[in-house]
């Protein structure tokens, strides 16, 4: 809902529980008024009448109060917009007016030939505010050093706390919380992709708990380099500004008639604690971001950990037969099926099946997999090339490089310059041909190295390839999805190196981490769930001991229950699993299929974090509830504490499908559910159904 004051200078956007209000002063200053619980237009107008603080000359009354601080004039905060026109620094805009249509509010400003439009949208039934900015240049060329998507202003409070998701390869999305001190905390990626090191999300609170208290969150929809800066200003205010690009060293030049649209930066206010905020983010993504989120994702098998590069059609058929017998619904051939790709040293870029390994192409295997009743998927890494490939031999200038400088090879590969139209066209032809040439239902789209030598010798402003690469990727994905609507896509980047709202709006799920150790995964998944729903979080059961990472041995039970918290997959070498293991796995897969709608579409409650002892997650959908509980290590023979459930009707009774016991809702909510767990690395699934 949008309310606008009579003079057209105050706006209030409201969702079910929250409001967001801004105001343009008579001097064309755009002030932030409110972000928090619902208010009406009269409240916003009262806020607009409050005088700005009467500061000494060493502070600016605008700082911490402006909605989108530009560079220049009486401002000392980090500018969201930084431009250079011939001989001039910064922006001095005039307010031109607003438009409101289709649930979107646009506030229009102009500085000479440069039009700056701030966009706002609250998608229906959510408290998420989507913000972005467009810049249209009708004047002489403008150099865009930085154009953030939004600056978010929090109300005056005594002490703010920052939550963030940090990590590295094999250890992504780990949650930390710490008090904010004066100055700035900057997170981001200089790597050309979203990165394993930080997810583009922050949350700010003062005293929230998992289920209570105010939480402000912001998440960026951008899959390239990015930056979010959280500033504790000299007074009690906090501002969060974020957008594409890590530094202020230049995004693009805007020639006359050119325009630029920033990615969306979404913000959410919730008073339901961290859990309530996560559920609101999940509901928003399922309803407005993730394509076709009402359709549950299938159980997949992926061959990577089983075979790595040593693959053949015969061996994939053997794996497929075992996977099908286990109840798997989608069989994915990972790396190694194409070109001369028998190791990571060659073949990337040559997207035709390796004739020694797949003499008849991929179709015979795909047909076999379909014959077994499963969908068929393949792995690709289109944005990369091995120097030892036909593609690179033919087009050594198609990669990102700087003349006279080294071409850094990480994993023996270079990054293709997707800002180039010929490169995008080549990739389109290759991928479209692949999807047309074999019955492929699913594509795992990988990205296994960061940008290092981002340069484009022929382009007068080579800096723009950082942005244009991402636009090129999005355009390719969009075009492929439109041409092959039945094909699902997974975003992977050496695990969770490219997970953000931008890529999620054009992929069906993401590969969470290359770390498939079921214990480490609990913490990774706990962090992931702060922002993203289980519906996109791919998790595989692999071999024990965990060969990829740590040699930790764990039961099939523990591995399955850990992976059942997301989109279940199996990634072990099934040719080495015993008959008993295969039979047990079949039961787990069948159980997952029963609970899948609740896990993938339900409201998620984090009952206890994975901090060493008992941890648990609960999902609620309609009358059904699923609890997944894990005991890392039982100490001193202490009994395992009861799990206080959430989201139930206290007046209802619930039947436990595992034991047949009938539980009272009020008892489960207040006194909790006892789950029989013992020893180390034990796990249980509990299903409850309202009577
Ligand atoms: C990195 C991915 O995260 C793995 O799952 C696997 O696909 C390898 N790349 C293949 O090179």
């Amino acid at each position: 809902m949008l309310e606008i004051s009579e003079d057209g200078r105050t706006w209030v956007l409201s969702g079910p529980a929250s409001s967001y209000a801004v105001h343009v002063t008579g001097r064309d200053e755009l002030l932030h008024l409110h972000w928090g619980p619902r208010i009406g237009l009269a409240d916003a107008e009262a806020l607009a009448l409050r005088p700005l603080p009467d500061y000494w000359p060493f502070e600016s009354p605008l700082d911490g109060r402006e909605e989108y601080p530009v560079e220049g004039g009486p401002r000392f905060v980090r500018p969201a917009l930084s431009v250079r026109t011939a001989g001039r620094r910064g922006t001095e805009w005039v307010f031109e007016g607003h438009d409101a249509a289709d649930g979107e509010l646009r506030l229009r400003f102009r500085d000479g030939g440069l039009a700056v439009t701030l966009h706002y949208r609250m998608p229906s039934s959510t408290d998420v505010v989507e913000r972005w900015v467009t810049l249209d240049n009708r004047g002489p060329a403008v150099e865009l050093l930085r154009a953030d998507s939004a600056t978010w202003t929090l109300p005056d409070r005594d002490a703010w706390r920052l939550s963030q998701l940090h990590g590295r390869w094999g250890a992504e999305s780990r949650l930390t919380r710490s008090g904010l001190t004066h100055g700035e905390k900057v997170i981001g990626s200089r790597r050309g992709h979203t990165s394993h090191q930080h997810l583009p999300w922050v949350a700010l609170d003062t005293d929230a708990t998992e289920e209570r208290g105010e939480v402000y969150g912001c998440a960026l929809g951008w899959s390239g380099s990015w930056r979010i800066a959280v500033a504790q200003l000299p007074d009690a205010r906090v501002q969060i500004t974020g957008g594409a690009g890590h530094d202020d060293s230049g995004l693009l030049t805007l020639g006359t008639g050119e325009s630029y649209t920033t990615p969306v930066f979404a913000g959410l206010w919730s008073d339901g604690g961290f859990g309530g905020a996560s559920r609101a983010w999940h509901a928003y993504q399922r309803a407005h971001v993730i394509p076709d989120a009402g359709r549950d994702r299938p159980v997949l098998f992926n061959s990577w950990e089983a075979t790595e590069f040593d693959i053949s059609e015969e061996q994939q058929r053997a794996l497929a037969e075992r996977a099908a017998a286990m109840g798997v619904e989608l069989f994915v051939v990972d790396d190694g099926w194409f070109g001369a790709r028998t190791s990571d040293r060659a073949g990337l870029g040559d997207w035709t099946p390796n004739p020694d390994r797949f003499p008849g192409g991929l179709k015979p295997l795909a047909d076999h997999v379909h014959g077994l009743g499963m969908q068929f998927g393949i792995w690709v890494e289109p944005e990369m090339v091995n120097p030892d490939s036909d593609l690179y031999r033919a087009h050594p200038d198609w990669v990102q490089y700087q003349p006279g400088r080294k071409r850094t090879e990480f994993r023996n590969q270079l990054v293709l310059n997707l800002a180039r139209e010929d490169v995008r066209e080549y990739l389109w032809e290759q991928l479209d041909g692949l999807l047309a040439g074999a019955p492929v239902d699913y594509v795992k789209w990988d990205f296994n190295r960061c940008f290092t030598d981002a340069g484009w010798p022929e382009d007068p402003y080579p800096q723009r390839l950082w942005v244009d690469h991402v636009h090129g990727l999005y355009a390719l994905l969009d075009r492929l999805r439109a041409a092959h609507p039945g094909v699902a896509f997974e975003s992977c980047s050496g695990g969770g190196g490219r997970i953000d709202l931008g890529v999620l709006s054009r992929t069906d799920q993401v590969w969470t981490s290359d770390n498939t150790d079921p214990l480490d995964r609990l913490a990774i998944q706990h962090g992931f769930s702060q922002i993203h729903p289980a519906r996109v979080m791919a998790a595989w059961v692999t071999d024990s001991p965990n060969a990829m990472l740590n040699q930790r041995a764990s039961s099939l039970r523990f591995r399955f229950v850990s992976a059942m918290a997301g989109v279940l997959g199996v990634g072990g070498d099934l040719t080495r699993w015993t008959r008993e293991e295969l039979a047990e796995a079949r039961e787990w897969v069948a159980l997952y299929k029963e609970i899948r709608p609740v896990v993938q579409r339900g409201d998620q409650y984090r009952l206890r974090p994975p901090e060493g002892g008992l941890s648990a997650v609960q999902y609620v959908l309609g009358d059904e509830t699923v609890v997944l509980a894990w005991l890392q290590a039982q100490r001193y023979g202490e009994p395992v504490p009861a799990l206080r459930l959430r989201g139930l009707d206290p007046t209802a009774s619930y039947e436990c499908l595992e034991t047949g016991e009938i539980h009272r809702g009020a008892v489960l909510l207040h006194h909790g559910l006892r789950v029989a767990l013992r020893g180390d690395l034990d796990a249980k699934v509990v299903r409850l159904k309202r009577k």
Side-chain angles (χ1 to χ4, degrees), residues 169 302 304-305 309 334-336 341 344 379 381 411 444 446-448 490 492-496 511 513-514 540 548:
W169 176 84
N302 178 292
W304 175 244
E305 286 204 26
F309 291 105
D334 208 277
D335 204 347
R341 186 78 169 166
D344 64 13
W379 177 97
E381 193 178 359
R411 211 192 190 208
K444 173 177 172 184
D446 209 342
F447 180 94
N448 278 304
E490 176 177 280
C492 171
S493 170
W511 182 220
S513 176
D514 274 346
W540 307 341
M548 221 17 120

Side-chain angles (χ1 to χ4, degrees), residues 329-404:
E329 298 157 311
L330 162 64
F331 181 85
V332 184
V333 181
D334 208 277
D335 204 347
W337 59 265
F338 53 91
R341 186 78 169 166
T342 52
S343 74
D344 64 13
R345 309 197 74 82
L348 274 181
D350 302 336
W351 298 109
T352 41
N354 178 322
D356 299 331
R357 295 178 161 194
F358 296 92
L362 287 176
K363 192 167 181 311
L365 176 63
D367 288 343
H368 183 63
V369 166
H370 283 157
L372 292 167
M374 296 184 289
Q375 296 181 339
F376 178 69
I378 52 167
W379 177 97
V380 293
E381 193 178 359
E383 296 149 87
M384 302 291 167
V385 65
N386 285 119
D388 184 0
S389 66
D390 293 342
L391 178 63
Y392 189 73
R393 280 183 282 274
H395 298 286
D397 54 333
W398 275 12
V399 296
Q400 299 181 350
Y401 74 102
Q402 303 202 65

Side-chain angles (χ1 to χ4, degrees), residues 582-602:
L582 291 170
E584 184 184 338
R586 188 182 164 76
E587 284 174 23
W588 285 115
V589 170
L591 176 60
Y592 178 75
K593 288 178 185 169
E594 276 180 42
I595 65 170
R596 170 166 55 192
V598 187
V599 171
Q600 295 195 12
R601 277 181 266 145

Side-chain angles (χ1 to χ4, degrees), residues 15-265:
S18 69
S19 295
Y20 191 95
V22 289
H23 168 73
V24 178
T25 69
R27 290 194 297 244
D28 289 354
E29 298 146 341
L30 177 62
L31 299 184
H32 174 82
L33 295 181
H34 173 83
W35 185 22
R38 264 190 91 125
I39 60 168
L41 186 58
D43 305 308
E45 286 180 319
L47 278 166
L49 288 177
R50 285 185 170 194
L52 290 178
D54 183 15
Y55 277 134
W56 290 67
F58 295 107
E59 298 285 352
S60 167
L62 293 178
D63 280 355
R65 280 155 193 86
E66 279 192 307
E67 175 70 356
Y68 188 73
V70 296
E71 190 182 21
R75 300 177 179 90
F76 309 106
V77 294
R78 183 184 278 278
L81 181 66
S82 179
V83 298
R84 299 282 178 273
T85 30
R88 274 203 309 198
R89 178 181 78 94
T91 307
E92 212 171 86
W93 67 29
V94 290
F95 177 55
E96 293 220 306
H98 77 266
D99 313 303
D102 303 328
E104 186 185 318
L105 169 67
R106 288 184 286 269
L107 305 182
R108 290 182 282 104
F109 299 85
R110 177 174 293 280
D111 181 17
L114 184 66
V116 182
T117 306
L118 273 59
H119 301 253
Y120 296 82
R121 186 171 52 204
M122 270 183 113
S124 62
S125 313
T126 77
D127 283 298
V128 171
V129 182
E130 294 177 337
R131 290 182 57 190
W132 70 102
V133 171
T134 48
L135 299 157
D136 294 292
N137 186 26
R138 304 273 164 237
V142 174
E143 188 180 8
L144 210 57
L145 294 183
R146 177 130 201 119
D148 275 337
S149 304
T151 295
W152 302 93
T153 304
L154 309 191
D156 294 359
R157 297 281 189 271
D158 284 344
W160 286 101
R161 182 167 55 161
L162 171 71
S163 302
Q164 59 182 109
L165 296 169
H166 74 105
R168 57 180 168 74
W169 176 84
E172 300 89 333
S173 61
R174 285 173 304 147
L175 177 67
T176 52
R177 295 210 158 103
S178 54
L180 204 60
T181 52
H182 282 91
E184 276 187 318
K185 172 81 185 180
V186 180
I187 60 168
S189 159
R190 283 196 180 88
R191 296 161 191 265
H193 62 120
T194 322
S195 92
H196 302 80
Q197 284 68 20
H198 299 282
L199 259 71
W201 166 86
V202 290
L204 277 297
D205 76 293
T206 55
D207 56 359
T209 61
E210 182 62 20
E211 294 299 335
R212 264 188 285 273
E214 279 193 315
V215 178
Y216 289 85
C218 308
L220 195 62
W222 185 243
S223 311
S225 290
W226 57 277
R227 182 180 73 198
I228 297 178
V230 183
Q232 170 71 69
L233 299 174
D235 57 17
R237 294 233 157 163
V238 164
Q239 281 193 320
I240 304 160
T241 185
H246 191 276
D247 301 308
D248 300 337
S249 50
L251 284 174
L252 348 117
T253 47
L254 283 184
T256 310
E258 289 183 341
S259 57
Y260 171 68
T261 302
T262 71
V264 167
F265 200 8

